[in-house]
Structure formats: structure tokens, C-alpha cells
């Protein structure tokens, strides 16, 4: 998640498909999430700083996952990278790229659900310590990869989504939400007017101090700001399948942390696209070398990822597109 300093203080409609998503959600496992994250947040990736060699390894890792899973790119056959030139970034930053993959909708392919997470982190500290970014945002990255596999499994059995799903891994988030801004403002591969919602995942692998020694939870930000139906759908999915604690503390309009403006969903929200930002809160290792994969709660990460999959499933398969208020 982007670090900012000096901050001031409907019920779901009848689905078009009979298939139930539970069996596909169960393909999302703590074991696979852990295996991927131990690679993605390893020292080999050098903190994934935008434009640097470690970030290039990160995009190759993501691309390989989609190629191996048989999930195509919406850009061109075999081309998963949305190139962002160095001139687009502020300061001395090299060329970088977003990674895009998608599953085409069966009945309403022109309507798009975007699931996003940022692939970059802050790199290596001046003293040589690597900031691995396991939670920020390795957790969101591997969550999307598992969600994509679950949708692909459904598609293979003839239960692919009614609407298209775009799996969007954006770069340059830590520098100022550059990758998502480039997609939304410069090169929306799918027209924004056809984008139904954005589910953005940024840090869902840890537990903050408020929720220590309690059950599983998530902070949700933005779910009710543009679409009451999105908020109600999100609540209904959680109640039906998980009953996690949804904490809306950071959703307040006067939240001094201003988290609503600090992750990639904002570049969709500013274009009147309903969003949900999923977040576990900050912790002592935030933007520090201690954000390592051994500190992730993989059972919580599994359940949170399944929750987001179920929410995306409902958005993709309900009869009517959610309404913008």
C-alpha cells in the first residue's frame, strides 16, 4: 500500500447459472498461497522496486503462472504486459509494466469485473536490508493468482463467469498509484463504462493490533461509497459463507489515514466505478524488512481469498449489473 506522510488528522438478484461456487472456492488453499508467497516475497526478488531487476522477476513469475494455468491475456496472444514508459513516472524510474490476464464471460463478455493488486514494493533499504513485502502486497498478488485458478477450474467444467474477469496486477503503486492510473487514464484495455466493479486487494495476510487474539476479520473500504448494491452484495456473501468480522473503521469519510485514497481502487472510484478495498490494517513490519512470508497467517489468508472469490463470483454471475448510486 502507498505510504503517505503528513496526512491530516442489495440483495443479490437471481443468478443466471445453477452452478454453485463452493467447490471452486475450495481450490484456493493455504498450502498453495504459502508456496507462491515464499517465492514471490523471497530475497531473490529484491523487494520488487518499480523498474528494477527484482520487479522484472516478479512480472515473469506472474506471467508464468497464467501461462501454465492456460489463462490468456486480453492484450494479445502471449503478451501479458501493459508497458509503462519511464517518462510516465515522476523521477528516476525505469520502464515498468502491469500484468493482465482474463477469463472471457460467457453471456456478457463486454461487462468486466476487475480484481486488482499491486505487484511492486519498496525495494532495498540504504543499509542493504531487503523489504520483501510479503503482506504488502505479496498477499494480494498470490490471492489473485489463486482466484484466477478457481475461475479457470469453473470454466473448464462449463461454469465460466457470465461477465468477464480481468486479473490486473499493477506496478508503481508505492510511488503514487502509477500502474492503476495508467490503466484507468491512459490505456483501459476494457472501456471504463463497461467496468462493473473493482475488487482491490492490498495487504490481507496479517493481523493488526486491534484484532489480536480474535477471529478472522477484514477492513473493507469504499464498498458503500458508489453503490449500495455492491455493499449489500458484499455483506450477503460474507454472511452466507464466512461470517468474518467486517471492520469499516477506515471507511469513514473523516478517516485521518485516508486509506480510501491510498491504494489502486481509487483510480477506478474516481471514474465512478464501484470498488471494495480489502485490507488487514497496518502492523509493525509495514514498509520494513520484517514484512516476511513467515509472519503471514495462511489460514486467514485462505479464507479472505475465498471470500473475495465468492464476491467476484456473485458480481460476475448475477442477472443485473450492480447499480451506481
Amino acid at each position: 500500500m502507498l505510504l503517505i506522510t503528513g496526512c491530516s488528522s442489495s440483495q443479490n438478484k437471481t443468478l443466471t447459472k445453477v452452478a454453485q461456487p463452493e467447490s471452486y472456492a475450495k481450490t484456493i488453499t493455504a498450502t498453495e498461497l504459502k508456496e507462491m508467497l515464499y517465492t514471490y516475497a523471497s530475497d531473490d526478488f529484491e523487494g520488487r522496486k518499480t523498474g528494477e531487476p527484482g520487479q522484472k522477476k516478479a512480472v515473469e513469475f506472474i506471467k508464468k503462472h497464467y501461462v501454465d494455468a492456460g489463462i490468456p491475456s486480453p492484450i494479445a496472444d502471449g503478451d501479458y504486459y501493459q508497458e509503462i514508459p519511464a517518462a510516465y513516472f515522476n523521477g528516476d524510474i525505469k520502464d515498468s509494466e502491469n500484468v493482465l490476464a482474463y477469463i472471457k464471460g460467457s453471456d456478457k463478455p463486454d461487462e468486466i469485473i476487475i480484481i486488482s493488486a499491486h505487484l511492486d514494493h519498496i525495494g532495498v533499504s540504504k543499509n542493504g536490508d531487503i523489504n520483501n513485502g510479503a503482506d504488502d502486497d505479496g498477499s494480494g498478488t498470490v490471492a489473485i493468482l489463486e482466484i484466477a485458478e478457481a475461475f479457470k477450474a469453473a470454466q473448464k467444467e462449463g461454469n465460466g463467469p457470465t461477465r468477464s474477469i480481468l486479473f490486473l496486477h499493477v506496478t508503481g503503486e508505492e510511488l503514487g498509484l502509477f500502474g492503476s492510473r495508467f490503466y484507468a487514464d491512459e490505456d483501459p484495455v476494457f472501456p471504463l463504462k463497461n467496468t462493473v466493479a473493482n475488487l482491490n486487494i492490498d495487504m490481507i495476510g496479517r493481523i493488526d493490533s486491534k484484532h489480536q487474539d480474535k477471529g478472522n476479520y477484514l477492513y473493507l473500504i469504499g464498498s458503500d461509497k458508489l453503490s449500495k448494491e455492491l455493499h449489500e452484495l458484499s455483506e450477503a456473501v460474507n454472511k452466507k459463507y464466512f461470517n468474518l468480522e467486517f471492520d469499516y473503521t477506515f471507511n469513514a469519510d473523516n478517516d485521518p489515514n485516508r486509506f480510501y485514497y491510498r491504494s489502486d481502487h481509487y483510480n477506478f472510484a474516481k471514474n465512478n466505478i464501484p470498488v471494495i478495498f480489502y485490507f488487514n490494517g497496518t502492523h509493525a513490519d509495514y514498509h520494513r524488512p520484517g514484512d516476511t512470508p513467515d509472519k503471514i497467517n495462511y489460514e486467514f489468508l485462505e479464507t479472505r481469498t475465498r471470500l473475495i472469490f465468492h464476491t467476484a463470483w456473485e458480481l460476475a454471475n448475477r442477472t443485473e449489473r450492480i447499480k451506481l448510486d
Side-chain angles (χ1 to χ4, degrees):
M1 184 177 61
L2 172 67
L3 175 64
I4 291 182
T5 58
C7 287
S8 60
S9 316
S10 122
Q11 298 299 315
N12 190 22
K13 305 293 176 64
T14 302
L15 298 184
T16 58
K17 294 186 179 296
V18 176
Q20 297 300 309
E22 291 94 332
S23 62
Y24 306 118
K26 289 178 181 177
T27 67
I28 297 168
T29 67
T31 299
E32 291 185 3
L33 290 161
K34 184 175 183 178
E35 181 180 357
M36 287 191 290
L37 191 53
Y38 263 82
T39 299
Y40 194 75
S42 68
D43 286 355
D44 287 344
F45 287 64
E46 300 175 322
R48 307 188 303 275
K49 185 176 180 181
T50 301
E52 296 301 318
Q55 183 256 297
K56 303 301 182 181
K57 288 184 179 180
V59 298
E60 284 293 331
F61 176 92
I62 295 168
K63 174 184 174 180
K64 183 178 186 302
H65 184 92
Y66 287 119
V67 171
D68 291 348
I71 301 172
S73 165
I75 301 171
D77 186 26
D79 181 8
Y80 289 80
Y81 297 157
Q82 183 181 48
E83 304 289 347
I84 305 177
Y88 189 74
F89 298 99
N90 295 333
D92 186 21
I93 303 297
K94 301 171 185 174
D95 293 353
S96 190
E97 50 279 306
N98 296 331
V99 185
L100 282 65
Y102 90 126
I103 292 179
K104 186 176 181 179
S106 58
D107 301 328
K108 299 180 180 181
D110 293 335
E111 294 186 13
I112 312 299
I113 312 298
I114 297 179
I115 308 176
S116 62
H118 69 90
L119 59 87
D120 61 310
H121 194 49
I122 61 173
V124 182
S125 300
K126 290 181 179 179
N127 64 1
D129 289 337
I130 297 173
N131 296 281
N132 300 102
D135 192 26
D136 186 13
D137 186 24
S139 61
T141 300
V142 299
I144 291 186
L145 296 178
E146 280 286 89
I147 290 169
E149 280 193 3
F151 273 109
K152 184 63 178 180
Q155 186 185 51
K156 285 181 177 178
E157 295 184 359
N159 296 314
T162 298
R163 296 177 178 85
S164 296
I165 312 285
L166 174 64
F167 308 105
L168 176 61
H169 301 262
V170 293
T171 190
E173 191 269 359
E174 299 289 5
L175 302 174
L177 315 184
F178 279 96
S180 56
R181 177 153 57 90
F182 186 85
Y183 178 93
D185 293 359
E186 305 293 334
D187 186 22
V189 174
F190 297 100
L192 297 184
K193 67 179 181 180
N194 294 344
T195 302
V196 175
N198 169 229
L199 305 180
N200 183 51
I201 314 170
D202 193 353
M203 299 173 57
I204 60 164
R206 295 277 296 261
I207 305 168
D208 71 353
S209 58
K210 179 180 178 180
H211 297 91
Q212 291 290 339
D213 303 318
K214 297 181 181 178
N216 204 346
Y217 73 98
L218 270 176
Y219 291 101
L220 267 62
I221 301 170
S223 63
D224 63 349
K225 292 190 182 298
L226 293 170
S227 172
K228 182 180 179 183
E229 281 190 352
L230 176 60
H231 178 75
E232 291 177 347
L233 181 151
S234 169
E235 285 282 337
V237 167
N238 182 46
K239 184 176 181 180
K240 179 177 181 180
Y241 294 108
F242 302 102
N243 209 28
L244 273 66
E245 177 196 350
F246 278 178
D247 191 327
Y248 293 101
T249 299
F250 299 132
N251 192 53
D253 290 339
N254 62 352
D255 170 35
N257 299 286
R258 294 174 58 81
F259 287 133
Y260 181 64
Y261 305 94
R262 288 174 54 186
S263 192
D264 294 296
H265 61 279
Y266 181 68
N267 283 315
F268 297 100
K270 75 181 186 184
N271 285 289
N272 288 321
I273 295 168
V275 301
I276 303 177
F277 170 22
Y278 298 95
F279 179 46
N280 54 217
T282 58
H283 44 74
D285 293 317
Y286 172 62
H287 279 199
R288 295 179 181 275
D291 185 5
T292 50
D294 57 296
K295 296 178 182 177
I296 299 293
N297 185 318
Y298 289 97
E299 290 184 8
F300 278 20
L301 178 57
E302 174 189 274
T303 302
R304 293 163 176 174
T305 305
R306 289 180 178 182
L307 166 82
I308 298 164
F309 166 77
H310 274 284
T311 305
W313 178 282
E314 296 297 328
L315 284 167
N317 290 311
R318 72 198 309 264
T319 303
E320 299 296 330
R321 172 177 175 166
I322 57 166
K323 292 182 176 61
L324 181 71
D325 295 339

